[in-house]
Amino acid sequence: MSYPVEGHCDCKAVRYRMLAKPMFVHCCHCRWCQRETGSAFVLNALIETDRLEVLAGAPDVVVTPSESGRGQHISRCPICKIAVWSMYSLPTVRFVRVGTLVDPDIAPPEIHIFTASKQPWVVIPPGMPSAPEYYDREKYWPRESLERRKAFLRNC
């Protein structure tokens, strides 16, 4: 798949473009994500903020509690209320909701995390990396993504 790629909320009032491939895509099965989405998991594509371009609209940022205690900043369409991305403790990284991409098939999960709390009927494919809680970035992220992370951390 070539980049950039675009995404939007349901009503298309908020539209965005990812200028590069995400650093990593994870499928989170934690209870916080289950509660927040009303689903069994959330699929997040992690990308640097400066590689995410807003094409239309200005999302409302809603601060919700998080297990870390630092909160999560969820960017939602002010009209249809769909979450398009979120931000945790680093303002330089966005967690784009893969389902809001025009073609969500381009960003399958590279790991399933917090599987200790996954719904029992969710079956993780054989050979797919998974972790009962969070994961070791150094072990799972591609070298290029680790370098990108180091670059934005230098600028924080």
Side-chain angles (χ1 to χ4, degrees):
M1 181 68 200
S2 62
Y3 286 82
V5 297
E6 294 186 7
H8 55 78
C9 62
D10 273 352
C11 73
K12 299 184 182 176
V14 174
R15 293 184 303 110
Y16 66 89
R17 180 179 294 136
M18 287 176 47
L19 301 173
K21 179 181 178 182
M23 291 182 291
F24 203 65
V25 179
H26 66 231
C27 183
C28 183
H29 297 268
C30 79
R31 294 289 187 214
W32 290 84
C33 286
Q34 290 177 24
R35 192 170 30 259
E36 174 200 304
T37 63
S39 184
F41 52 81
V42 67
L43 194 56
N44 288 313
L46 285 67
I47 191 161
E48 302 93 324
T49 301
D50 64 359
R51 296 181 188 207
L52 184 67
E53 177 182 30
V54 177
L55 302 174
D60 286 341
V61 177
V62 178
V63 180
T64 63
S66 68
E67 191 169 13
S68 71
R70 293 185 295 249
Q72 176 184 189
H73 297 76
I74 304 172
S75 293
R76 295 182 173 277
C77 171
I79 298 168
C80 69
K81 307 301 183 197
I82 296 297
V84 287
W85 60 77
S86 59
M87 186 207 54
Y88 291 87
S89 57
L90 290 173
T92 52
V93 179
R94 295 292 183 262
F95 288 63
V96 173
R97 302 296 166 80
V98 170
T100 66
L101 292 169
V102 170
D103 182 6
D105 299 350
I106 66 163
E110 296 173 89
I111 192 169
H112 287 257
I113 60 175
F114 290 94
T115 59
S117 56
K118 80 171 183 56
Q119 294 298 307
W121 47 264
V122 172
V123 178
I124 297 173
M128 170 63 69
S130 65
E133 292 187 10
Y134 202 66
Y135 59 98
D136 179 357
R137 256 184 307 275
E138 298 292 326
K139 180 177 178 182
Y140 293 104
W141 281 30
R143 180 173 308 281
E144 174 193 340
S145 296
L146 291 170
E147 292 301 320
R148 285 168 59 182
R149 183 175 186 274
K150 284 178 190 171
F152 74 69
L153 287 175
R154 281 192 294 268
N155 297 324
C156 285

